[in-house]
Amino acid sequence: MAETLEITGVSASPGVAVGPVHLAADVTAEALALGDTMASEGDKLRQAVATALAELEALADRSDEESAGILDFQIEMLLDPALVEMAEERIVAGDGAALAWFGALNDYIADIEQAPDEQLRARAIDIVDIRNRVLSALTGRPLEDFAPGSVFVGKDLEPSLLLQHDWTAGGAIILFEGSVSSHVAMLARSRSVPMVVATGRFKVADGVRVLVDANDGRVVVAPEDQQINKARSRTTEARPTVPSRAGGVIETADGVAIRLSAIVNDPIELKSIDPSSVAGIGLMRTEFLGNVFNQETHYDVYRQALDWAGDAPVIVRMLDLGGDKMELGVGAKESEAFLGRRGIRLLLALPEIARLQARALLRAAAHGNLGVLLPMITVPEELDAMRAIFEEEAAALGRRGVQTRMPEIGMMVEVPAAALMLDRFLRSDFFSFGTNDLAQYLAAAARDDQSVAALYNAATPAVLRVIAQGVALAEAMKKSIGICGEMASDPQHIPALMAAGLRHFSMAPNRLADIRSTIAGMYSDGRAAAEMK
Ligand code: PEP
Ligand code: MG
């Protein structure tokens, strides 16, 4: 039997869980074994092509004659080295495997679509199919999952793995490194998955029982029953008692209306939110959707959200790739991840992806109250460039008779150079503060680095000053402004955010009850209602 061992880390998502350890594969060692980047991108591509081929062959084996014929054509195409060679040329020029494959296949598809021969033109859809199958092998394929109810232990955890895993049977996350402000921590909080980060490396075997007391940032390997009972009894005491089913607009003690909207990271979350309990969706992240290269995936998800919301607004944020989220293998060094090509910068550098998402958004906007949020805007020209993409795509869809509507296009306020100059962004229809990033950029302290977390937190007064100034500028421009960073989920920050003038807050649905009762007990200037008496 394993010996009891207690380890202290930092709580990134509260809660208590007990379960067997699932030890993650050591990705660092694997990554080093891959050798130089260019060779590994080429290898990744060839491996993905081999996976796609195996899938197609298996599919052809169990298909009828007609379908097998179509699949055989796709198999022939994939066996032809020409496609991989076209992508490899792009890898040599610096693209990652996914991007290289996407770009090369798109060029090829565009050529086929222009072909004079009708039969050849009809084959374009097969190439689209091949493109998507290989891409999903490269990017969208779920990573190695683990048994429900177990406790993931590793250096870090991919957001997509957290999202695809079934947490209904319990379980928790322990990261040797990691940070409270990282995306994966944010997702754990929104799913109520207990998580402890920054424990440092410790030795534990697969399958050993651990207690994760994430209320205290504590991990106990091979715990005594008594320790488990004690941790569990404290959780039951801490449960919030406020009902969560109340409207999305709440009044402060002096009668000022405050809007509370949901943040959604995965459409599956909509199933557990009552639409009448929120003022719509204030932020729908799209970077965790799975196959981001597929327009129909985007469109279906947006339609689902709009149908769920009825007349209420649904604000969809365009892909905020880069940083600590999925990157497209475009070669960003780790140190550059947050300061390099991320969000709008990457979208404008990869217009094929931006256009694909714009088309899905334009089509979906015809069916509800859709707004579009642009991530990481620094200068007005970025906003103008994306608007131009929307206008061009709307015109192109219109020529094909596809029904569209131009949505309102607003921007995240998360880069200090933009946050201080909102009056320059006249073409932004609305604004939303992204304080998770604003804090890291103001403090020059990366959000995914727990060793500088104290500095990150120390940026709060600076963040609040920038917010107060931004709210005044937006009001002078008669544009709406809200907040969708994690600060809006923390009752401690609500008084200062109200005092700064914010009236629209977006948060993970499991934070609504707490924030609702906090706001109901205060005046609009942030003072507690009791203080005035
Ligand atoms: C933010 O930066 O505050 C934000 C809401 O966006 P994300 O956390 O996805 O970067
Ligand atoms: Mg952000």
Side-chain angles (χ1 to χ4, degrees):
M1 230 185 92
E3 229 175 88
T4 301
L5 166 72
E6 204 166 314
I7 298 138
T8 310
V10 179
S11 169
S13 172
V16 171
V18 182
V21 164
H22 166 83
L23 208 50
D26 196 339
V27 282
T28 323
E30 270 172 26
L32 287 176
L34 283 174
D36 81 52
T37 312
M38 214 131 77
S40 75
E41 291 303 302
D43 285 352
K44 265 194 235 165
L45 179 59
R46 277 184 294 275
Q47 255 171 36
V49 169
T51 307
L53 270 171
E55 285 174 3
L56 283 169
E57 277 159 3
L59 213 56
D61 280 351
R62 34 175 216 272
S63 300
D64 59 56
E65 212 175 311
E66 196 188 357
S67 317
I70 296 170
L71 294 169
D72 283 344
F73 170 78
Q74 295 194 359
I75 291 169
E76 287 302 312
M77 288 298 302
L78 266 184
L79 285 171
D80 181 349
L83 288 183
V84 173
E85 279 164 16
M86 285 192 302
E88 275 172 344
E89 276 173 29
R90 288 173 175 248
I91 289 176
V92 171
D95 281 353
L99 182 59
W101 178 254
F102 188 65
L105 271 276
N106 278 356
D107 283 355
Y108 190 58
I109 292 162
D111 282 351
I112 294 188
E113 280 172 344
Q114 306 287 322
D117 175 11
E118 199 188 318
Q119 255 190 327
L120 184 57
R121 283 205 303 275
R123 285 299 194 188
I125 190 66
D126 285 310
I127 314 295
V128 170
D129 207 358
I130 294 172
R131 180 195 68 187
N132 291 347
R133 186 174 290 277
V134 174
L135 277 175
S136 87
L138 273 169
T139 62
R141 181 168 304 283
L143 301 168
E144 175 211 1
D145 201 358
F146 47 97
S150 43
V151 175
F152 178 95
V153 179
K155 179 170 168 269
D156 209 348
L157 173 64
E158 292 271 341
S160 56
L161 183 50
L162 184 148
L163 285 172
Q164 77 171 36
H165 183 69
D166 176 7
W167 296 102
T168 51
I173 301 165
I174 304 170
L175 299 185
F176 302 142
E177 299 179 10
S179 140
V180 171
S181 308
S182 66
H183 281 97
V184 75
M186 198 178 68
L187 293 173
R189 286 193 289 278
S190 75
R191 299 251 159 148
S192 304
V193 179
M195 176 172 180
V196 174
V197 299
T199 56
R201 244 172 219 283
F202 60 91
K203 277 217 162 96
V204 65
D206 242 341
V208 168
R209 198 158 82 128
V210 284
L211 159 68
V212 181
D213 181 356
N215 296 327
D216 260 1
R218 211 164 52 99
V219 172
V220 185
V221 178
E224 311 274 342
D225 287 348
Q226 212 186 338
Q227 289 172 298
I228 297 175
N229 294 340
K230 201 166 156 205
R232 280 192 173 141
S233 63
R234 275 186 306 167
T235 311
T236 335
E237 283 162 25
R239 286 239 174 277
T241 49
V242 189
S244 67
R245 211 179 168 291
V249 180
I250 180 162
E251 282 199 0
T252 58
D254 51 341
V256 173
I258 306 294
R259 277 196 301 147
L260 302 184
S261 299
I263 293 181
V264 172
N265 297 307
D266 183 330
I268 210 161
E269 295 165 10
L270 295 174
K271 287 201 184 117
S272 48
I273 319 171
D274 175 354
S276 70
S277 70
V278 287
I281 299 177
L283 166 66
M284 177 160 202
R285 290 189 173 89
T286 56
E287 48 276 6
F288 305 124
L289 287 186
N291 189 356
V292 296
F293 300 101
N294 189 328
Q295 188 189 149
E296 294 315 307
T297 304
H298 286 278
Y299 177 74
D300 290 347
V301 168
Y302 307 155
R303 282 298 308 271
Q304 226 175 300
L306 288 167
D307 292 348
W308 171 90
D311 295 337
V314 172
I315 311 287
V316 174
R317 189 174 68 188
M318 290 190 82
L319 288 161
D320 184 20
L321 299 171
D324 62 341
K325 299 182 209 167
M326 169 190 158
E327 60 148 319
L328 295 171
V330 283
K333 287 189 221 117
E334 218 172 285
S335 60
E336 287 173 353
F338 282 120
L339 294 177
R341 288 201 294 178
R342 192 195 150 191
I344 189 80
R345 303 168 188 182
L346 209 42
L347 285 169
L348 294 176
L350 308 172
E352 300 103 326
I353 296 175
R355 286 181 184 278
L356 172 156
Q357 192 172 21
R359 287 196 289 277
L361 287 163
L362 284 159
R363 287 167 55 207
H367 302 276
N369 188 351
L370 182 83
V372 172
L373 198 48
L374 305 182
M376 284 287 290
I377 293 279
T378 309
V379 291
E381 289 74 12
E382 291 166 326
L383 192 83
D384 294 344
M386 188 54 78
R387 268 194 183 283
I389 287 181
F390 270 79
E391 277 152 20
E392 284 162 24
E393 291 302 328
L397 288 170
R399 281 194 295 276
R400 285 171 35 204
V402 178
Q403 196 192 0
T404 63
R405 192 179 64 80
M406 186 60 71
E408 287 211 326
I409 301 180
M411 61 183 263
M412 292 290 294
V413 183
E414 51 188 350
V415 177
L420 293 167
M421 308 296 291
L422 286 193
D423 45 336
R424 288 185 62 210
F425 294 85
L426 296 169
R427 297 191 70 204
S428 181
D429 292 324
F430 61 93
F431 301 106
S432 187
F433 279 108
T435 47
N436 308 338
D437 279 312
L438 189 56
Q440 76 162 342
Y441 295 130
L442 283 171
R447 61 193 276 186
D448 62 347
D449 185 346
Q450 193 62 28
S451 70
V452 289
L455 288 173
Y456 180 95
N457 293 331
T460 299
V463 171
L464 289 168
R465 188 173 285 183
V466 172
I467 290 179
Q469 189 200 319
V471 169
L473 290 173
E475 276 173 5
M477 294 160 81
K478 302 206 173 352
K479 309 231 182 206
S480 69
I481 188 158
I483 173 170
C484 59
E486 292 270 296
M487 269 178 97
S489 302
D490 187 344
Q492 269 188 350
H493 290 310
I494 296 292
L497 293 171
M498 297 272 284
L502 284 172
R503 301 292 179 254
H504 182 202
F505 297 78
S506 298
M507 65 207 69
N510 62 4
R511 300 300 308 138
L512 279 162
D514 238 8
I515 299 303
R516 194 177 281 126
S517 65
T518 305
I519 291 176
M522 65 173 47
Y523 288 88
S524 55
D525 62 6
R527 277 174 300 165
E531 275 178 33
M532 295 281 282
K533 288 183 187 144

